[in-house]
Amino acid sequence: MTSYHDFLDQPIQLEQLGLHVIDLPQKMQFRSGIGVRKSRKALIVSWTAAGVMGYGECSSRADPYYSAEFLAGSVLLVEQFIAPALQSASTYREVLQVLDRVRGWPFTKAAVEFAMHDWLWRTTGRSIFDWWKGARVRKVPVGISIGILPDAESVRLKVRTFKAEGYRRLKFKVNPSFDLSLLRAAADLLQDAHVSFDANGTLMEADIPLVRELVKFGTALEQPFPPYRVGIARAVQAAVPDLKICLDESVKSLGQLKMAHELGLLDELNLKIGRVGGLFESLRILEYGARQNLPIWIGGMFETGIGRSLNLQMAALLPDAKAHDLSPSSRYFDEDILQHPITMSTDGLIDLSAVDRTVDPKLLAKYTIQKKILTN
Ligand code: OSB
Ligand code: MG
């Protein structure tokens, strides 16, 4: 084999596809431009054959407010269209062909690929990452995404705590009513920190004054405008020449990334493996980024350890990234569904060699609120 493309020739088997809807309580609520969330409701796909079970997590939200995908729809899509079509697939490539036929729904399709890939890895010890030719790191630098907070005191407290925990970037969620005085009240603490902002597509031309203030921090502004509102982006870019844009929601495939890049709509990419439809597409995006000198880092969606451990493997292929949104599970959940929760050192690194991806079936069952087993 000479490249990760050849890995798609790997034969696969499938006896049962499992759909596990979990509801994992969060330690605290999280407010962003999207809304408020209190627990992680998600679909976990299991892929079983030859006595081995692989798992894949669908990162999208239960509601359609981040992207068009939503949990109940993901379950229906797999049940009615993907599972029946998988019956004839006998290689990795054929599974991707089944998934490619479905328009949209990248997170859901990716979860099926993740489960299959996990099964393949547990069965053969081989993974698509083995065929990546570029450099990689063993320790992955981590940043934290901070929800919109109610007052200056909580901002100071969080900033102090997260700096002490070692996070290498503090990413603040913002929206059009974001109160900059809260940040000013923490200016002394933020001075030596790497600060960035994520608007989750909520800003418009009217928010130029806010954008002007945010760019003073010198970092890219993540998904400032709603996806595909090129006119707004152009207008704000013209009004605020220092604006650097990091795209998230807008980029759902390599094709969309190329288009946005050619149109001058981004300076860096928050790559969520699920959002672009999976592992294979993500590796193609990594190659494009390397060729074009486009900075890429890996984003998260509050995954459980199942999704997080995969995100971390992808992040390891980006040696130049300063920080990825991949906080350890303990930040969100009292209990994860891996046997051993993922942990971060006080210098903000997660050591991949210490990540054990074994799922605890008892914990998975404990947090499962709906389950379907589809027999192939
Ligand atoms: O916009 O990056 C985002 C979580 C859910 C939905 C969208 C986003 C996020 C995050 C969380 O920022 C980052 C993380 O998982 O640590
Ligand atoms: Mg984002």
Side-chain angles (χ1 to χ4, degrees), residues 33-48:
I34 305 170
V36 180
R37 81 147 93 208
K38 301 186 175 83
S39 71
R40 166 98 178 121
K41 291 193 189 63
L43 170 66
I44 305 288
V45 177
S46 63
W47 181 292
T48 311

Side-chain angles (χ1 to χ4, degrees), residues 145 171 173 198 200 222 248 272 300-302 308 332:
S145 169
K171 175 175 118 177
K173 292 289 190 178
D198 183 0
N200 285 108
E222 183 171 326
D248 176 356
K272 291 176 179 164
M301 299 274 285
F302 301 128
R308 271 295 135 114
Y332 319 105

Side-chain angles (χ1 to χ4, degrees), residues 127-375:
S127 108
I128 196 165
F129 299 106
D130 300 342
W131 303 98
W132 180 252
K133 290 213 195 74
R136 58 181 84 203
V137 293
R138 187 166 61 87
K139 294 185 175 179
V140 172
V142 177
I144 190 162
S145 169
I146 306 175
I148 297 171
L149 299 167
D151 50 52
E153 204 159 322
S154 15
V155 174
R156 288 189 69 83
L157 177 66
K158 296 271 177 186
V159 169
R160 238 191 249 115
T161 311
F162 296 146
K163 278 175 73 178
E165 285 173 3
Y167 285 102
R168 298 196 167 204
R169 178 178 59 209
L170 307 178
K171 175 175 118 177
F172 291 92
K173 292 289 190 178
V174 298
N175 63 9
S177 47
F178 186 71
D179 182 358
L180 281 160
S181 72
L182 303 190
L183 283 189
R184 291 195 188 107
D188 54 325
L189 299 172
L190 292 174
Q191 220 168 23
D192 61 346
H194 177 183
V195 173
S196 72
F197 301 98
D198 183 0
N200 285 108
T202 54
L203 304 184
M204 307 280 173
E205 274 139 299
D207 302 303
I208 287 174
L210 174 61
V211 173
R212 277 209 180 93
E213 293 303 315
L214 297 177
V215 299
K216 290 183 184 161
F217 285 83
T219 47
L221 177 52
E222 183 171 326
Q223 195 69 46
F225 319 114
Y228 318 116
R229 300 294 297 271
V230 179
I232 301 175
R234 291 256 189 273
V236 182
Q237 282 174 316
V240 190
D242 288 342
L243 174 62
K244 292 263 179 292
I245 297 178
C246 171
L247 287 182
D248 176 356
E249 283 91 325
S250 287
V251 176
K252 299 206 180 91
S253 63
L254 174 59
Q256 289 184 356
L257 172 61
K258 284 181 177 167
M259 187 165 65
H261 195 211
E262 281 160 18
L263 291 171
L265 297 175
L266 89 164
D267 301 283
E268 67 180 61
L269 177 70
N270 168 345
L271 171 63
K272 291 176 179 164
I273 317 175
R275 196 195 61 228
V276 299
L279 296 169
F280 181 67
E281 190 76 353
S282 293
L283 292 178
R284 294 175 68 209
I285 286 180
L286 257 48
E287 276 188 334
Y288 176 80
R291 260 198 323 272
Q292 299 283 331
N293 272 319
L294 177 73
I296 300 181
W297 50 273
I298 302 296
M301 299 274 285
F302 301 128
E303 287 86 4
T304 72
I306 295 178
R308 271 295 135 114
S309 55
L310 201 62
N311 293 347
L312 284 160
Q313 287 189 289
M314 193 63 72
L317 311 184
L318 289 162
D320 296 329
K322 296 207 172 51
H324 308 270
D325 276 356
L326 301 176
S327 316
S329 334
S330 58
R331 191 232 159 172
Y332 319 105
F333 313 117
D334 286 318
E335 197 168 47
D336 200 340
I337 53 184
L338 293 185
Q339 258 171 28
H340 304 283
I342 299 168
T343 55
M344 180 180 81
S345 68
T346 50
D347 56 352
L349 296 169
I350 294 181
D351 184 348
L352 256 184
S353 58
V355 173
D356 178 346
R357 294 166 58 201
T358 313
V359 173
D360 185 332
K362 281 203 245 23
L363 289 174
L364 177 61
K366 175 175 170 187
Y367 294 109
T368 295
I369 54 173
Q370 186 198 339
K371 182 173 162 182
K372 287 183 183 172
I373 301 293
L374 312 171
T375 303

